[in-house]
Amino acid sequence: MKALWFFEDVNLFKLLCPHKFKQYKDCHTFDKYKKQDYIYFQNDSSNKVYLIENGKVKIGYYTEDGEEVVKAILTKGELFGEKAILGERKREEFAQSLDNLTSICPIGVDTMHDLMRDNQTFSFRVYKFIGFKFKKLERRLQLLLFKDSKTRLMEFLEELCSDYGYDCKETGDHVINHPYTQKDIASLIGVSRPTLNILMNELKEADIIDFNRRQIRIFSTSA
């Protein structure tokens, strides 16, 4: 994934938030949300984009049968609702807080367009980020449609390693310090939580990985 996106490990909030721009700083506010609060619903007016100052946000939609499909779980520094920049009128998805202390920076579409028009570097970063998100979503949908559950988990672990991992100097293992719960991971790869537990424990017993609540270690012997 790093070959696709050279702003990896960059907090987009620090780069894009309007309070960094003097002309917008005085009128700029942050919205606070508790766990399970919705930031917007499907079919809401699409007139803002959002940056996560703190917390975690789930992006998804409901099928005609009422089944929830999770598209992404985003954390500090990430952008969402960006289709509004591209002309979306109504939301095609919902955004829901997963933390009790979620803080969001809302940006009106007109303000975003002004910033992009007046700052070429800012505009480039936004479009680059949107392109990266679309590629990542397309890859995840392909996994859900065409791969079995174990393969989906292994490829998701590779993605986590790219986004949150580092190589341990002592052992050569890939260590992933990630922000997701097991429920989050299960939702993202399209399996139940019990199925995820079985798959994770099978990999652990095979000495491929070890894990705890917030860290996954991929052993170098299995890489």
Side-chain angles (χ1 to χ4, degrees):
M1 295 298 289
K2 289 189 177 182
L4 299 173
W5 176 242
F6 60 82
F7 291 112
E8 74 276 4
D9 302 324
V10 172
N11 185 325
L12 286 169
F13 175 82
K14 292 179 180 177
L15 292 174
L16 308 182
C17 183
H19 83 273
K20 298 293 183 184
F21 297 84
K22 188 178 296 184
Q23 66 268 42
Y24 298 103
K25 188 173 182 178
D26 291 341
C27 61
H28 184 57
T29 59
F30 296 93
D31 295 337
K32 308 293 184 182
Y33 297 89
K34 294 182 179 179
K35 190 173 183 178
Q36 296 188 337
D37 285 350
Y38 282 89
I39 298 149
Y40 57 75
F41 296 92
Q42 284 178 251
N43 296 317
D44 278 359
S45 178
S46 188
N47 55 16
K48 293 179 182 178
V49 296
Y50 303 86
L51 283 158
I52 304 174
E53 181 196 20
N54 195 47
K56 193 161 56 174
V57 174
K58 176 170 66 177
I59 307 297
Y61 64 92
Y62 292 101
T63 66
E64 292 182 357
D65 298 328
E67 181 181 356
E68 181 182 282
V69 178
V70 178
K71 295 174 65 177
I73 293 174
L74 308 177
T75 56
K76 182 176 181 178
E78 296 194 79
L79 175 77
F80 64 98
E82 68 281 348
K83 288 182 183 177
I85 302 171
L86 306 178
E88 178 188 66
R89 298 284 184 91
K90 298 282 187 181
R91 298 291 184 192
E92 298 176 353
E93 57 202 18
F94 67 79
Q96 183 183 29
S97 170
L98 294 180
D99 280 342
N100 281 319
L101 297 174
T102 297
S103 178
I104 302 293
C105 162
I107 312 170
V109 172
D110 290 342
T111 298
M112 198 72 172
H113 284 158
D114 288 344
L115 288 169
M116 292 171 71
R117 184 184 63 246
D118 298 339
N119 189 310
Q120 187 174 5
T121 300
F122 178 88
S123 179
F124 174 75
R125 284 172 172 159
V126 171
Y127 281 125
K128 192 74 176 178
F129 176 73
I130 291 173
F132 168 71
K133 281 194 70 176
F134 285 166
K135 284 179 181 294
K136 200 169 186 177
L137 177 60
E138 181 181 14
R139 183 171 180 266
R140 183 159 294 151
L141 290 176
Q142 287 175 344
L143 286 177
L144 291 174
L145 288 172
F146 302 116
K147 301 293 178 71
D148 62 79
S149 57
K150 189 171 184 178
T151 303
R152 295 202 297 271
L153 174 58
M154 291 300 296
E155 296 204 17
F156 182 73
L157 292 179
E158 288 182 12
E159 184 179 306
L160 282 184
C161 195
S162 177
D163 290 344
Y164 300 102
Y166 66 92
D167 292 337
C168 177
K169 293 181 180 179
E170 290 77 17
T171 64
D173 297 342
H174 303 305
V175 181
I176 306 166
N177 294 316
H178 63 89
Y180 302 122
T181 64
Q182 284 207 352
K183 182 180 179 182
D184 294 339
I185 295 173
S187 296
L188 287 169
I189 67 172
V191 300
S192 67
R193 193 169 176 180
T195 297
L196 177 65
N197 286 333
I198 292 170
L199 292 172
M200 294 286 284
N201 283 311
E202 284 179 353
L203 294 176
K204 184 175 181 177
E205 290 171 6
D207 290 327
I208 295 173
I209 67 170
D210 194 11
F211 62 92
N212 56 38
R213 186 168 176 268
R214 281 289 185 266
Q215 186 180 92
I216 299 171
R217 180 180 289 264
I218 303 175
F219 296 125
S220 60
T221 53
S222 66

